[in-house]
Amino acid sequence: MNINILIVGVGGQGTLLASKILGNYATLINKDCKLSEVHGMSQRGGSVVTYVRISDKVYSPLIDKKNADVILAFEELEALRWADYIKDGGMIIINKQNLYPMPVITGKVDYPADIYERVGGYGAQIRNIDALEIAMKLGDLRTVNVAVLGFCAVLLKFDREKFKEAIKNSVPASTFDINLRAFEEGEKRA
Amino acid sequence: MKKLLLGDHAVAQGAYEAGVKVAAAYPGTPSTEITEYLSTFNDIYSEWSVNEKVAMEVGIGASMAGGRALVSMKHVGLNVAADPLFTYAYTGVNAGLVIAVADDPGMHSSQNEQDSRFYGLSAHIPMLEPSDSQEAKDFTKFAFELSEKYDTPVFIRLTTRIAHSRSFVEISKRQEIEFDYKQDIAKFVMVPANARKRHVKVEERERRLASDVNSFDINRIENGKNKIGIICAGAVYQYVKEALPDYPVFKLGFVYPLPVEKLREFASNCDDLIVIEELEPYIENALKSNGISVRGKELTGLQGELSSEKIKEIILGYKVISGKEELPARPPVMCAGCTHRGIYYVINKLKLNAAGDIGCYSLGCNEPLNAMHSLICMGAAIANTHGMEKAKGKDFSKKNIAVIGDSTFVHSGITGLINAVYNRSNITILILDNSTTGMTGHQPHPGTGKTIKNEQTHTLDFEALVRACGVNNVSVIDPYDLDMTESVIKEHIVKDGVSVIIARRPCILLDKTAKFDVAEIDNCRKCGMCLKLGCPAIRKNKDGSVAVDSTLCTACMLCEKVCKFASVKKVGDAK
Ligand code: SF4
Ligand code: SF4
């Protein structure tokens, strides 16, 4: 498997944990892997991107534009913001959630109404999941990220058992059960 | 065993394996995770020091006593720590001292883009630069050996892309190393007579190292078919390997001193030489001054980060696909329920000028609050405000306020406060005490009563401290109480002398298991008052009315307090 995955969203949505789980999965399938994360100020509700690269040998921790096989977007506007990173024929997985950026809140600009149309212009397959609904049902909003991963793991044909192990290795033991449930709910939506 | 480690963690792992005894730091993105990781090992003493200068002095003490020490900081922290460091470069070490410094090209989380490599040059301290996590570990271990062999502190320089990227690292066992403490006045007491002699030693050491560096194999040549040679280090090396697989590459492990003879040899085998480096033309200038002709900054420019994409564009003339989307920007914001929000709302309402400082509260400068009007460096708020008063007088000062966080106050605000009282200032200072170091990820500090390992310790009493510094007007307010906040600020700001208001309430994110009620807006009259708070949980509907996003709201109820029509209420359904 050689894969470049871009995880995009809003600071605080758990993109970092999602990338760690993917990195752990790479470990379990004996591949080289590089992850680039966001820490510090930009994590406070800013637009965030983490890069995940899995291959036999990885040099740069960054992904070039038009070079992502998959974009996992945790928020709709962010899907569009980073869509120019997708390869022709790649897949964009979008979590149906809207988080308004400050210029929208203050009424300076509108939240775009035609996000899906515009994302569609990048020639990628688009898939949709309502992971927030899953997380709300489970009673823990922080599980949105793992629900998205469950959905993605099916679409990308990841080894299910190994992926569950990767989750186990990445989350605190006390939250493993709820994360596993979020993962399985995500799988069901695929 | 292989582990996927953050560059920062790998430096820590290297220090651990090298038998480090003491680790000290002040948190700063992107260096914070080094000390955080080291604090998880039981056989190492680690601490959050109150600032980088203190951390450096702690590390120096450990090294003098005979224990290997690691001191970590971000680039701007190195400015704070530079004073003791320059002199320790003179004395040399007993056990090794390694300083990890993380630069931030692109300013993901910093107030400037300074290039720490010049500190190697000006302090006469060797500097190594790893290009992935494995090297971060290996170079750190090697740095300890160098430190002892050449009797000098040694730098490990990281950039954000190395510090905050994960790649595989081979884990090894810890080696126990300890040196005896020996008194040595001529070496460690830098009165001028001794320092003059040590300066001679520094020069000797530097000459020896400048020649030895040509044979260290962490500087290596990778051959390629192309006739143009590339010189690079750190993260840039990875971009180069990806963008220019056919080019011969000189990969530097040492960025100070540079292996000039080895580079000269490399140059003689290439038709053309290009230095690719982020930030300043540091390598480029060094080579040019040694008569090696290279190109560099004329191609890459001085700003921001590089990437394999940019390198392809610069060297191969590739057209970079630019994002064509016009989209609303999404700058970072203070969290929903952040205890700082109400303070800025009041500062705005009273039309005050606020000299700010570094922390989550720096975000108060953004729309719609726009209520922080200067920010220079850690701890500057108080002395900046004092300077303003001295330039413009007491009356001007009645419209001015210094805003500083609790951790920043302890870092270097205290000295500004003592200075202001001593020099008969007439300023008002707001200490935003949210009982943590918020922006870097909630590290404890002396005001929290907890150590890095979450052990109980003495809690610094801000009120008593401020009074002991000579401030008589001290008030404590709850920043969720807007009326109280407003009346106390109004009362203090007109007074002569130095007055301090402590706004105290823990950061809303501190208790990660908390369940929150939410606010709900009924019968909104579309006045837009609550939108002035800049709370990310409030959204404006198409028809101009507002609604609360219950997934974000923490029921701080600030919006209830600013709503004139009682449209907001709390709903009990805790989430
Ligand atoms: S982390 Fe705490 S201090 Fe920082 S913005 Fe969020 S609530 Fe405010
Ligand atoms: S109560 Fe109002 S101001 Fe506070 S977090 Fe909720 S929406 Fe934001």
Side-chain angles (χ1 to χ4, degrees):
Chain A
M1 183 178 69
N2 300 317
I3 193 165
N4 288 331
I5 305 176
L6 209 67
I7 307 180
V8 304
V10 177
Q13 278 194 306
T15 53
L16 217 141
L17 177 65
S19 74
K20 268 189 211 162
I21 293 172
L22 286 165
N24 249 304
Y25 178 70
T27 319
L28 295 171
I29 58 168
N30 295 315
K31 286 282 186 175
D32 191 16
C33 174
K34 272 193 184 155
L35 310 177
S36 182
E37 317 180 342
V38 186
H39 298 219
M41 185 181 257
S42 36
Q43 267 190 302
R44 303 271 169 270
S47 164
V48 295
V49 57
T50 57
Y51 306 90
V52 179
R53 304 192 66 195
I54 303 174
S55 181
D56 293 326
K57 168 82 191 149
V58 183
Y59 285 113
S60 168
L62 304 179
I63 297 170
D64 292 348
K65 285 191 177 155
K66 271 196 164 299
N67 262 301
D69 300 283
V70 180
I71 295 179
L72 291 185
F74 283 36
E75 201 270 354
E76 294 184 343
L77 173 59
E78 295 311 306
L80 181 54
R81 193 186 309 281
W82 300 94
D84 54 341
Y85 277 78
I86 199 74
K87 238 181 213 168
D88 292 330
M91 187 190 292
I92 305 185
I93 297 174
I94 306 176
N95 174 34
K96 286 192 195 166
Q97 194 177 348
N98 300 144
L99 290 164
Y100 286 8
M102 205 42 68
V104 172
I105 288 176
T106 56
K108 284 223 158 116
V109 287
D110 288 334
Y111 191 92
D114 53 353
I115 288 180
Y116 284 90
E117 245 165 67
R118 286 160 78 180
V119 174
Y122 287 87
Q125 263 190 78
I126 303 175
R127 301 298 298 265
N128 234 238
I129 173 176
D130 191 346
L132 187 63
E133 178 227 78
I134 296 177
M136 295 229 264
K137 240 200 256 159
L138 292 176
D140 189 342
L141 291 176
R142 283 165 299 183
T143 58
V144 165
N145 51 3
V146 179
V148 174
L149 284 181
F151 186 74
C152 143
V154 175
L155 297 183
L156 299 181
K157 303 190 177 61
F158 286 160
D159 181 317
R160 186 161 191 262
E161 291 314 307
K162 290 214 166 101
F163 207 88
K164 287 202 278 191
E165 200 181 329
I167 296 174
K168 192 168 191 167
N169 295 341
S170 314
V171 304
S174 61
T175 69
F176 176 60
D177 283 341
I178 191 145
N179 277 305
L180 189 64
R181 279 170 59 207
F183 177 77
E184 287 168 352
E185 288 301 317
E187 280 183 310
K188 281 189 211 156
R189 306 296 197 282
Chain B
M1 190 193 36
K2 275 197 173 198
K3 261 182 150 174
L4 196 55
L5 291 186
L6 216 52
D8 276 348
H9 292 166
V11 169
Q13 180 67 32
Y16 171 77
E17 291 175 12
V20 89
K21 288 275 184 313
V22 171
Y26 180 82
T29 312
S31 67
T32 313
E33 294 76 15
I34 300 174
T35 313
E36 234 156 28
Y37 197 77
L38 278 167
S39 74
T40 64
F41 295 106
N42 288 328
D43 23 17
I44 296 174
Y45 171 79
S46 55
E47 70 170 41
W48 290 130
S49 307
V50 297
N51 64 34
E52 296 83 357
K53 176 174 186 283
V54 172
M56 186 67 77
E57 288 155 351
V58 170
I60 289 172
S63 158
M64 284 196 288
R68 285 184 165 183
L70 182 79
V71 182
S72 320
M73 63 206 60
K74 66 185 295 180
H75 59 317
V76 284
L78 184 51
N79 301 333
V80 180
D83 192 9
L85 182 63
F86 273 60
T87 301
Y88 204 51
Y90 267 39
T91 66
V93 304
N94 179 14
L97 175 71
V98 173
I99 304 114
V101 58
D103 286 5
D104 190 14
M107 294 178 280
H108 296 276
S109 216
S110 308
Q111 64 269 42
N112 69 35
E113 248 179 328
Q114 83 191 34
D115 190 329
S116 295
R117 295 176 298 176
F118 292 99
Y119 270 104
L121 184 77
S122 62
H124 307 285
I125 294 173
M127 181 180 276
L128 310 179
E129 182 169 357
S131 68
D132 60 17
S133 297
Q134 181 67 50
E135 284 191 354
K137 192 198 94 163
D138 295 344
F139 285 17
T140 304
K141 288 171 91 169
F142 181 51
F144 279 103
E145 288 166 29
L146 282 174
S147 174
E148 285 143 13
K149 183 167 173 212
Y150 290 90
D151 196 18
T152 173
V154 176
F155 279 121
I156 295 286
R157 185 229 187 192
L158 308 167
T159 55
T160 299
R161 278 308 156 197
I162 299 300
H164 286 169
S165 291
R166 281 171 203 267
S167 59
F168 284 109
V169 175
E170 194 66 56
I171 306 296
S172 324
K173 278 222 218 31
R174 176 170 165 94
Q175 146 204 41
E176 290 299 339
I177 285 203
E178 187 142 4
F179 295 80
D180 290 335
Y181 174 62
K182 289 187 290 288
Q183 288 184 346
D184 189 341
I185 293 174
K187 179 173 163 73
F188 287 119
V189 182
M190 285 301 93
V191 293
N194 290 344
R196 281 182 206 112
K197 292 184 196 125
R198 288 303 308 180
H199 193 178
V200 176
K201 299 253 184 226
V202 170
E203 267 189 53
E204 277 170 21
R205 164 183 92 211
E206 205 155 48
R207 273 197 299 274
R208 186 155 63 100
L209 198 55
S211 125
D212 293 359
V213 74
N214 292 291
S215 55
F216 287 126
D217 55 14
I218 69 168
N219 301 307
R220 65 166 188 265
I221 294 168
E222 295 176 4
N223 292 316
K225 288 196 293 279
N226 204 288
K227 284 282 154 220
I228 302 173
I230 307 289
I231 299 167
C232 56
V236 176
Y237 164 76
Q238 307 291 359
Y239 306 146
V240 166
K241 290 301 280 184
E242 182 127 354
L244 310 171
D246 295 336
Y247 283 58
V249 173
F250 195 116
K251 184 197 178 292
L252 290 162
F254 269 85
V255 290
Y256 185 77
L258 290 170
V260 176
E261 288 323 307
K262 203 168 173 179
L263 283 160
R264 208 185 290 285
E265 199 186 299
F266 179 66
S268 69
N269 292 321
C270 302
D271 292 349
D272 190 8
L273 266 192
I274 299 176
V275 176
I276 306 185
E277 60 188 324
E278 289 170 333
L279 305 175
E280 300 297 316
Y282 165 83
I283 300 170
E284 179 184 348
N285 288 351
L287 294 182
K288 283 180 175 162
S289 71
N290 275 287
I292 302 173
S293 104
V294 291
R295 291 186 294 155
K297 285 293 151 188
E298 57 197 288
L299 302 169
T300 57
L302 292 167
Q303 298 194 13
E305 287 188 287
L306 291 169
S307 62
S308 65
E309 196 174 0
K310 277 195 196 154
I311 290 172
K312 280 190 211 158
E313 184 194 7
I314 291 160
I315 311 287
L316 305 176
Y318 272 39
K319 257 223 144 27
V320 173
I321 315 106
S322 61
K324 38 187 175 301
E325 301 292 346
E326 282 279 321
L327 292 177
R330 191 188 297 274
V333 287
M334 290 183 290
C335 307
C338 176
T339 54
H340 302 323
R341 178 166 285 108
I343 296 284
Y344 286 115
Y345 179 81
V346 172
I347 287 177
N348 237 336
K349 190 170 172 201
L350 300 178
K351 299 200 170 57
L352 301 179
N353 184 73
D357 222 302
I358 312 253
C360 285
Y361 54 99
S362 306
L363 296 169
C365 71
N366 290 336
E367 293 268 355
L369 293 160
N370 297 324
M372 212 185 82
H373 307 98
S374 65
L375 178 160
I376 304 297
C377 68
M378 288 290 290
I382 298 175
N384 284 166
T385 310
H386 169 65
M388 288 176 173
E389 191 255 350
K390 291 304 170 201
K392 294 276 183 182
K394 260 193 213 177
D395 281 340
F396 179 84
S397 198
K398 292 183 176 145
K399 280 279 167 202
N400 258 331
I401 195 158
V403 179
I404 186 165
D406 47 346
S407 188
T408 314
F409 176 69
V410 177
H411 176 284
S412 48
I414 290 176
T415 44
L417 175 64
I418 294 169
N419 179 69
V421 175
Y422 172 62
N423 288 306
R424 304 158 59 122
S425 202
N426 295 288
I427 61 172
T428 306
I429 299 158
L430 245 175
I431 301 177
L432 304 182
D433 179 6
N434 63 356
S435 309
T436 191
T437 317
M439 193 167 82
T440 45
H442 301 94
Q443 292 76 19
H445 60 70
T448 66
K450 292 279 198 267
T451 69
I452 192 170
K453 293 191 186 234
N454 209 27
E455 296 151 342
Q456 199 64 45
T457 183
H458 176 73
T459 311
L460 181 63
D461 179 340
F462 284 105
E463 291 94 302
L465 171 82
V466 166
R467 285 186 202 281
C469 291
V471 179
N472 298 322
N473 295 316
V474 185
S475 297
V476 179
I477 57 170
D478 174 0
Y480 274 181
D481 186 338
L482 294 183
D483 290 338
M484 180 200 220
T485 301
E486 183 174 338
S487 68
V488 172
I489 292 180
K490 269 182 168 160
E491 177 196 317
H492 278 257
I493 206 137
V494 292
K495 284 189 186 160
D496 286 350
V498 176
S499 63
V500 171
I501 304 166
I502 300 168
R504 180 170 295 139
R505 188 176 264 273
C507 166
I508 190 88
L509 296 193
L510 266 190
D511 183 359
K512 299 206 158 140
T513 59
K515 297 253 180 214
F516 297 111
D517 292 339
V518 299
E520 210 174 68
I521 300 184
D522 249 358
N523 299 318
C524 172
R525 307 266 202 100
K526 307 180 186 176
C527 73
M529 278 304 282
C530 59
L531 294 172
K532 292 194 178 155
L533 287 168
C535 173
I538 302 180
R539 38 168 75 198
K540 195 169 172 184
N541 299 324
K542 274 259 144 357
D543 66 357
S545 66
V546 299
V548 170
D549 181 342
S550 64
T551 64
L552 294 175
C553 175
T554 60
C556 72
M557 301 321 283
L558 281 186
C559 51
E560 181 196 32
K561 286 169 196 134
V562 303
C563 177
K564 293 208 170 61
F565 305 106
S567 298
V568 184
K569 61 174 194 291
K570 199 182 228 171
V571 283
D573 196 17
K575 62 177 189 319

